[in-house]
Amino acid sequence: MTASPDFLQPDRRAAAALCALLGSPEDLRQPGIREAAERARDLLQSGAGADELATCYRVLDTALRRAGDARGLVNESRGGAAPGITPHIRVAVCPGPARCSRIERARDLFPAPHCAVNGTRMLKGRLGPAQ
């Protein structure tokens, strides 16, 4: 059995995973997942406290696992990890005040991907050495 992560502070990885989850309609089809994800998004947008967000993330993580998604909410296969990225790559980053660590490849000729948490397009920029 996989243990759920401990959400003690506003977790940027959880926000990135939530953004990726909201952008994946097939993952939202299971009963209860869409509602929990939308509630988490609303709390994140409203600037809710760390405890309230942690509780909501835990509920969403549990709903995902009960629906058969062993990754839960926070896992390296969903969200912000981008192995092999070098500093000269153009990326799209979270645009809103509730920033997540989601990073997507940004191609110059295409619009930036949609950020499901903040309801707008992500911002394009260059990946820095600290990222």
Side-chain angles (χ1 to χ4, degrees), residues 83-107:
I85 289 197
T86 59
H88 66 278
I89 293 178
R90 291 187 47 85
V91 294
V93 295
C94 185
R99 294 202 180 255
C100 69
S101 61
R102 180 179 175 201
I103 297 173
E104 294 287 331
R105 185 173 167 206
R107 298 182 196 131

Side-chain angles (χ1 to χ4, degrees), residues 14 26 37 39 56 77 82 90 108 117:
E26 61 273 359
R39 172 148 169 69
C56 194
S77 63
R90 291 187 47 85
D108 289 333
V117 170

Side-chain angles (χ1 to χ4, degrees), residues 73-86:
L73 177 62
V74 178
N75 187 297
E76 293 304 317
S77 63
R78 183 193 329 267
I85 289 197
T86 59

Side-chain angles (χ1 to χ4, degrees), residues 1 11 23 40 48 87 92 97 111 130:
M1 181 172 177
D11 190 349

Side-chain angles (χ1 to χ4, degrees), residues 7 15 17 41 45 49 52 56 89 93 97 107 118 125 128 131:
F7 301 106
R41 180 197 58 210
Q45 286 177 336
E52 193 174 6
C56 194
I89 293 178
V93 295
R107 298 182 196 131
N118 291 293
Q131 294 172 315

Side-chain angles (χ1 to χ4, degrees), residues 26-93:
E26 61 273 359
D27 288 340
L28 296 173
R29 287 192 180 131
Q30 298 292 333
I33 293 177
R34 178 179 297 280
E35 295 80 10
E38 288 174 350
R39 172 148 169 69
R41 180 197 58 210
D42 293 344
L43 287 174
L44 196 57
Q45 286 177 336
S46 70
D51 293 340
E52 193 174 6
L53 274 171
T55 301
C56 194
Y57 287 152
R58 222 176 279 116
V59 168
L60 179 54
D61 183 76
T62 302
L64 284 163
R65 290 175 192 277
R66 285 187 179 156
D69 188 342
R71 298 175 296 179
L73 177 62
V74 178
N75 187 297
E76 293 304 317
S77 63
R78 183 193 329 267
I85 289 197
T86 59
H88 66 278
I89 293 178
R90 291 187 47 85
V91 294
V93 295

